[in-house]
Amino acid sequence: MSIPQEHDYIGLSEPLPSEKSSDKTTAAATPSSNVGRNGVFSLKETELRLGLPGSEAPERKGGIGIGIGIGVSLYGKDESDCVKSGAKRGFSDAINGAGKWGLSINGGSEVDLGKKGGLNGSSVKQEIQPVEERKNEAAANTAPASKAQVVGWPPIRSFRKNSLATNTPKKEDVGGKSGMGTGCLYVKVSMDGAPYLRKIDLKTYCSYTEISSALEKMFSCFTIGQCGQGLAAKEHISESHLMDLLHGSEYVLTYEDKDGDWMLVGDVPWE
Amino acid sequence: MAYSFPEEVLEHVFSFLSSDRDRNAVSLVCKSWYDIERWCRRRIFVGNCYAVSPEMVIRRFPELRAVEMKGKPHFADFNLVPEGWGAYAYPWIAAMAEAYPFLEEIKLKRMVVTDDTLELISKSCKNFKLLVLTSCEGFTTDGLASIAANCRHLRELDLRESEVEELSGHWLSHFPDSCTSLVSLNISCLGSEVSFSILERLVARSPNLRTLRLNRAVPLERLANLIRRAPQLVELGTGAYSAEIRSDTFSNLADAFSACKQLKALSGFWDVVPSYLPAMYSVCSGITSLNLSYAAIPSTDLVKLISQCQNLQRLWVMDYIEDSGLDVLAASCKDLQELRVFPSDPFGAEPNVSLTEQGLVSVSEGCPKLESVLYFCRQMSNAALIAIAKNRPNFIRFRLCIIDPQAPDYLTLEPLDAGFGAIVEKCKELRRLSMTGLLTDRVFKYIGSHAKKLEMLSIAFAGDSDLGLHHVLSGCDSLRKLEIRDCPFGDKALLANAAKLETMRSLWMSSCSVSFGACKLLAQKMPRLNVEVIDERGPPDSRPESCSVERVYVYRTVASRQRLDMPDFVWTLDEDSSLRYS
């Protein structure tokens, strides 16, 4: 049941048709003084104005038409601080100051963003910070900002995002990058005969030799028998013998690939 | 008023009316018809759980058997609705369990469903048959166990993409041995293992099983056994489609597939090892729906598979298919009606595959029945969109997502206004549209003038001013759902078109320029609209009224505007026009 309204859109300032409800609400006049005496709303507050008070609108990419100024959100106490800008909320603006965002920059698909209301809230809060600061950056930044992420963009459901994250990427065949740049890559490491396994973050290492020595250190407690739990073998092995064990042929590093095959570590280039 | 027809006859006539619209129309004829109709309505669809209250529904329709309901707005899928916003199923279920002891079907979408809710359903509704939970959350496998254990006549349990807290895989064992009524089981959203032997026994004793969608944890080696027990399957979702390459596994699988003469839909396909795809070839000619959207396989393998599926009507795939693969699709699958192409690396800076606008152009050229598209890509041009529109004026749903949301026409660097304009102009039956790219107010002018059948519109990072929003609200006669994020739309258009909002189901605006003052005005002016200000920065009246709100969700409702389950970041207008918040 839409009420036909004739109005000159650009010069919108005439009162909207009064309705029953407006009569009721006149009594409780709101501080914004939008309600006239006869119960009809006037829209002085939202009148179009060309020529904005204060700062310029930030750069826009190829926009056309008149920059009609509409109020922009600002967390400020004083009304005059509410800077009106006609810019569309540019994507580059939104991701400017990537450092302010509480989101992981490295393709946080493993982090289910925004599921926690707090996380969402904090990211939006940061976005709303003083517009002057943002606009200065916008003016300075002609190139598109770095790959920070905007909440909910691209519009992909969490279920799919999570599936992508754990999808084992097919290597060279599909070309190029293997899926998400995740923040860390934990893998399980087990040693034959050890009572429990360990997990290491592959991203913290730069080469096979690094991993090798780190694992040596990690598992040395089992062979020497210094483990707090005291579950390791009680044989008295000298340390040098032990190192021979680790370096030599007794222990080798292998991994199970996605096809389920056991592969020797070191064949594939580190990258 | 005396009628020549007894009530029973009218009831019988009405029983042939299945669409809600028809039934609603019938109920407006006269009081008598209203009364007869309401007593014999068995199915109801509530598009917004807050648009009406459970009591109202129960009062009007005392004998429902099937309820379908939706909760959170669509943008909740992309984490734009803060946690705890609402859409709790329990109050509805509690009321209905009491009022409808013969309730048989419940379908919920984007609602919070607890274990208590599930248990209540399972214990109150003796004849319960069908539960579909799409994108729901809040329950655990314990809740599923109650359903399994208590619903003696359960036919369908479908957990599409819901988030389930998985306490144990043994909930499946709660299906009693006497339960043989299963027709559809979809557990594809579950992460953890279920007991395979229990699953096999369940499948074996369900002769009516038509749909079986497994989860990723079911390994390929087990698939053959499962399928073998259910050769009557029409829809199958595999688990992880990978195994060590062994000829006996392969031939087992191939044999099992070839026994399934009725298979029409395939899905699942996590972790695909391409060498196993040919095991399915025997069923491909009958396949009408193929969901490979989790399958990371190269274009060549995809193409080999797809070219076997001459009768394909629906394809969901990842962009690994590339333009070349889409060319083959266009050439082989002339019955294709729906195509969805998902991004394999949505957060990567550079394209990882060669999928461009060309692929979509090819498919639009080659597939005369194509009517529904969801396409993620990294570049688009007006020329391509215009070509697509010319090729395919029969689009009903067109959703384009360019990874960079403000990407211009990559050839001319102009906005994509002309391209989308062509889409709405040529596709006169378009019901759903999502746009991305560099878009100015002009595209909205086109939409307002042409998109007369458009029911749902999604806009992001587009437009220059309120004029854009005004064009849409004043021009789109059939608009029901409008969702907007990060656009410079504000008060003027909203207030000027306030009445329009009552003809729609809902309007969502987040990160736009709608002031708190305007929200209050709108709520004051339109008593049948609930104007929810969703703002996590604290009470809106601690800021100047001209400050924009983070999000506003406006929906028509005949229920109270003060829903009792509002969290502390949602504000609505109280009856005495003061601000009310919890």
Side-chain angles (χ1 to χ4, degrees):
Chain A
M1 279 142 293
S2 57
I3 301 155
Q5 289 186 18
E6 288 193 21
H7 51 259
D8 166 11
Y9 183 75
I10 295 299
L12 185 69
S13 60
E14 70 270 28
L16 296 164
S18 60
E19 303 194 55
K20 281 185 261 170
S21 57
S22 63
D23 291 328
K24 270 194 258 168
T25 55
T26 24
T30 57
S32 65
S33 69
N34 273 345
V35 181
R37 265 191 302 154
N38 57 354
V40 160
F41 297 102
S42 77
L43 293 172
K44 288 220 182 68
E45 290 274 310
T46 52
E47 217 171 65
L48 286 171
R49 264 172 300 214
L50 299 179
L52 314 170
S55 11
E56 299 275 329
E59 287 260 331
R60 281 178 296 164
K61 290 193 233 177
I64 57 154
I66 312 163
I68 298 176
I70 307 292
V72 132
S73 69
L74 223 224
Y75 196 102
K77 292 267 159 43
D78 187 352
E79 197 162 306
S80 63
D81 277 346
C82 275
V83 179
K84 299 192 182 354
S85 105
K88 65 176 132 198
R89 169 90 51 129
F91 183 48
S92 56
D93 288 352
I95 61 174
N96 259 346
K100 290 190 199 151
W101 287 79
L103 307 172
S104 136
I105 290 187
N106 289 331
S109 60
E110 292 210 3
V111 177
D112 199 357
L113 303 171
K115 247 305 155 183
K116 327 268 179 274
L119 191 60
N120 239 349
S122 68
S123 63
V124 178
K125 271 189 212 121
Q126 286 165 354
E127 185 186 301
I128 304 278
Q129 247 146 41
V131 174
E132 288 86 9
E133 200 181 325
R134 243 186 340 132
K135 282 200 284 206
N136 288 337
E137 284 185 21
N141 269 353
T142 42
S146 60
K147 271 301 158 192
Q149 284 176 51
V150 179
V151 175
W153 194 268
I156 303 174
R157 288 187 177 175
S158 312
F159 183 73
R160 186 168 293 281
K161 268 197 278 202
N162 297 340
S163 290
L164 276 179
T166 50
N167 218 357
T168 46
K170 198 85 169 78
K171 301 187 190 74
E172 297 75 45
D173 303 306
V174 281
K177 300 156 49 113
S178 61
M180 340 305 307
T182 53
C184 51
L185 202 58
Y186 278 101
V187 295
K188 272 195 235 180
V189 184
S190 73
M191 187 169 103
D192 273 352
Y196 52 81
L197 285 61
R198 300 299 301 266
K199 268 208 171 169
I200 57 170
D201 180 0
L202 287 181
K203 294 249 163 160
T204 61
Y205 302 108
C206 306
S207 69
Y208 285 121
T209 34
E210 264 191 45
I211 274 203
S212 202
S213 33
L215 287 175
E216 269 173 50
K217 290 202 194 80
M218 239 186 225
F219 285 100
S220 58
C221 66
F222 296 127
T223 41
I224 296 178
Q226 274 168 5
C227 222
Q229 284 75 5
L231 296 168
K234 295 281 190 341
E235 300 97 69
H236 298 288
I237 310 173
S238 73
E239 196 168 321
S240 57
H241 183 77
L242 164 327
M243 281 303 134
D244 286 346
L245 277 180
L246 287 175
H247 285 296
S249 53
E250 287 275 354
Y251 287 92
V252 286
L253 275 179
T254 57
Y255 67 95
E256 184 178 6
D257 73 0
K258 60 173 172 40
D259 297 323
D261 303 319
W262 285 101
M263 317 282 292
L264 182 69
V265 164
D267 288 331
V268 183
W270 178 254
E271 299 80 41
Chain B
M1 184 176 188
Y3 258 97
S4 38
F5 283 149
E7 271 186 25
E8 296 80 33
V9 176
L10 277 173
E11 258 193 52
H12 183 70
V13 171
F14 293 168
S15 69
F16 292 98
L17 298 174
S18 49
S19 105
D20 282 343
R21 270 193 200 165
D22 289 343
R23 282 198 162 253
N24 291 345
V26 145
S27 64
L28 289 174
V29 167
C30 64
K31 276 196 190 156
S32 176
W33 280 37
Y34 175 91
D35 231 12
I36 295 168
E37 193 282 319
R38 76 184 187 91
W39 277 94
C40 68
R41 192 175 308 208
R42 298 283 173 262
R43 314 192 137 260
I44 190 172
F45 169 73
V46 178
N48 173 5
C49 63
Y50 290 121
V52 66
S53 75
E55 292 72 34
M56 288 172 160
V57 172
I58 292 169
R59 196 164 52 229
R60 179 166 173 192
F61 299 115
E63 304 220 329
L64 293 180
R65 297 262 191 279
V67 175
E68 183 178 347
M69 189 171 316
K70 296 187 181 179
K72 301 184 204 174
H74 174 237
F75 272 177
D77 285 353
F78 317 125
N79 300 327
L80 292 179
V81 178
E83 181 115 352
W85 172 79
Y88 302 104
Y90 190 81
W92 279 93
I93 303 297
M96 293 193 302
E98 199 184 308
Y100 305 126
F102 298 112
L103 193 60
E104 294 177 2
E105 299 183 11
I106 295 177
K107 294 187 196 170
L108 303 175
K109 184 167 185 179
R110 285 191 210 102
M111 294 193 75
V112 178
V113 179
T114 57
D115 284 347
D116 287 345
T117 316
L118 294 176
E119 192 176 340
L120 187 57
I121 296 172
S122 74
K123 295 210 165 126
S124 317
C125 307
K126 297 298 171 202
N127 219 20
F128 196 68
K129 296 200 169 90
L130 184 151
L131 183 65
V132 177
L133 300 174
T134 309
S135 302
C136 292
E137 51 165 353
F139 58 103
T140 78
T141 42
D142 286 352
L144 297 178
S146 331
I147 296 285
N150 301 320
C151 301
R152 307 265 141 181
H153 307 284
L154 193 68
R155 290 204 195 139
E156 288 192 37
L157 178 59
D158 190 338
L159 305 173
R160 295 176 205 179
E161 293 184 356
S162 290
E163 268 187 45
V164 185
E165 195 185 327
E166 300 176 53
L167 304 175
S168 95
H170 293 301
W171 66 273
L172 255 190
S173 61
H174 288 256
F175 277 110
D177 287 340
S178 54
C179 174
T180 57
S181 48
L182 267 187
V183 172
S184 167
L185 180 64
N186 177 358
I187 54 169
S188 54
C189 63
L190 299 182
S192 41
E193 271 186 20
V194 290
S195 154
F196 303 131
S197 53
I198 294 184
L199 189 54
E200 277 172 27
R201 289 208 304 274
L202 181 60
V203 169
R205 67 174 185 274
S206 305
N208 299 319
L209 196 66
R210 294 276 169 276
T211 300
L212 178 63
R213 299 205 197 270
L214 305 167
N215 63 340
R216 194 173 187 170
V218 176
L220 194 57
E221 294 89 345
R222 289 277 177 174
L223 188 61
N225 281 347
L226 282 164
I227 302 178
R228 219 183 286 281
R229 283 166 170 66
Q232 75 283 5
L233 277 180
V234 175
E235 299 182 333
L236 171 69
T238 73
Y241 205 78
S242 66
E244 213 180 282
I245 300 183
R246 295 171 46 146
S247 56
D248 55 349
T249 317
F250 185 94
S251 49
N252 254 350
L253 192 58
D255 287 342
F257 268 117
S258 56
C260 296
K261 307 286 184 205
Q262 316 207 36
L263 212 45
K264 290 239 170 307
L266 287 171
S267 61
F269 298 108
W270 286 279
D271 314 318
V272 174
V273 165
S275 324
Y276 274 105
L277 289 174
M280 292 194 312
Y281 284 177
S282 58
V283 295
C284 283
S285 56
I287 294 296
T288 56
S289 167
L290 189 53
N291 181 352
L292 295 167
S293 62
Y294 298 104
I297 39 184
S299 182
T300 40
D301 294 297
L302 281 169
V303 154
K304 272 191 222 143
L305 178 61
I306 289 169
S307 37
Q308 310 263 336
C309 305
Q310 313 282 348
N311 289 314
L312 203 57
Q313 292 172 12
R314 181 205 295 188
L315 176 65
W316 293 19
V317 73
M318 282 219 266
D319 56 9
Y320 291 126
I321 193 171
E322 301 193 323
D323 289 342
S324 52
L326 290 175
D327 287 338
V328 175
L329 178 68
S332 326
C333 303
K334 296 303 184 185
D335 272 351
L336 194 70
Q337 293 171 17
E338 178 179 330
L339 173 67
R340 295 197 192 188
V341 178
F342 294 96
S344 52
D345 184 19
F347 302 105
E350 297 302 319
N352 60 326
V353 291
S354 172
L355 179 102
T356 69
E357 80 282 7
Q358 248 330 104
L360 187 55
V361 174
S362 300
V363 180
S364 71
E365 247 171 57
C367 301
K369 300 192 189 166
L370 188 67
E371 59 179 26
S372 175
V373 162
L374 168 60
Y375 200 77
F376 282 82
C377 59
R378 287 178 186 263
Q379 65 186 41
M380 188 47 63
S381 66
N382 282 311
L385 283 170
I386 291 169
I388 290 168
K390 274 212 191 98
N391 291 335
R392 251 337 29 94
N394 46 322
F395 273 133
I396 295 180
R397 281 170 228 105
F398 189 80
R399 294 194 279 165
L400 181 70
C401 179
I402 309 173
I403 298 286
D404 173 6
Q406 287 184 319
D409 177 329
Y410 77 100
L411 295 169
T412 65
L413 297 184
E414 282 174 3
L416 289 172
D417 300 338
F420 280 105
I423 295 279
V424 293
E425 196 188 340
K426 295 277 185 321
C427 305
K428 308 223 184 290
E429 301 298 313
L430 196 67
R431 295 204 301 254
R432 183 168 180 183
L433 177 66
S434 299
M435 314 188 291
T436 34
L438 184 64
L439 296 164
T440 73
D441 284 347
R442 221 174 1 162
V443 74
F444 298 111
K445 186 155 183 223
Y446 298 147
I447 292 177
S449 343
H450 295 289
K452 296 305 181 185
K453 300 252 178 94
L454 193 66
E455 295 179 6
M456 182 167 176
L457 178 62
S458 311
I459 312 171
F461 303 100
D464 308 311
S465 73
D466 267 29
L467 209 46
L469 179 57
H470 175 68
H471 285 311
V472 171
L473 288 176
S474 56
C476 296
D477 300 333
S478 312
L479 198 61
R480 292 190 299 114
K481 289 181 280 185
L482 180 56
E483 46 186 23
I484 303 173
R485 63 163 296 179
D486 294 273
C487 296
F489 298 150
D491 305 342
K492 298 195 77 66
L494 210 52
L495 292 169
N497 293 282
K500 168 75 173 179
L501 298 179
E502 219 182 87
T503 69
M504 293 164 52
R505 181 187 297 174
S506 64
L507 165 68
W508 169 277
M509 293 179 74
S510 56
S511 306
C512 296
S513 310
V514 178
S515 73
F516 179 57
C519 293
K520 287 208 306 193
L521 258 180
L522 185 62
Q524 281 163 354
K525 190 175 149 41
M526 308 291 299
R528 283 190 297 228
L529 287 181
N530 200 2
V531 180
E532 287 194 13
V533 171
I534 304 170
D535 204 317
E536 291 171 288
R537 297 169 298 174
D541 56 359
S542 64
R543 296 180 286 278
E545 289 222 336
S546 54
C547 278
S548 299
V549 297
E550 282 179 349
R551 311 166 191 82
V552 60
Y553 184 44
V554 183
Y555 53 88
R556 66 179 174 191
T557 180
V558 292
S560 155
R561 299 206 287 181
Q562 297 299 316
R563 58 181 174 98
L564 298 171
D565 55 7
M566 278 195 300
D568 58 12
F569 50 82
V570 174
W571 284 270
T572 60
L573 199 69
D574 198 355
E575 297 318 317
D576 62 3
S577 24
S578 60
L579 178 65
R580 165 76 167 262
Y581 53 93
S582 57

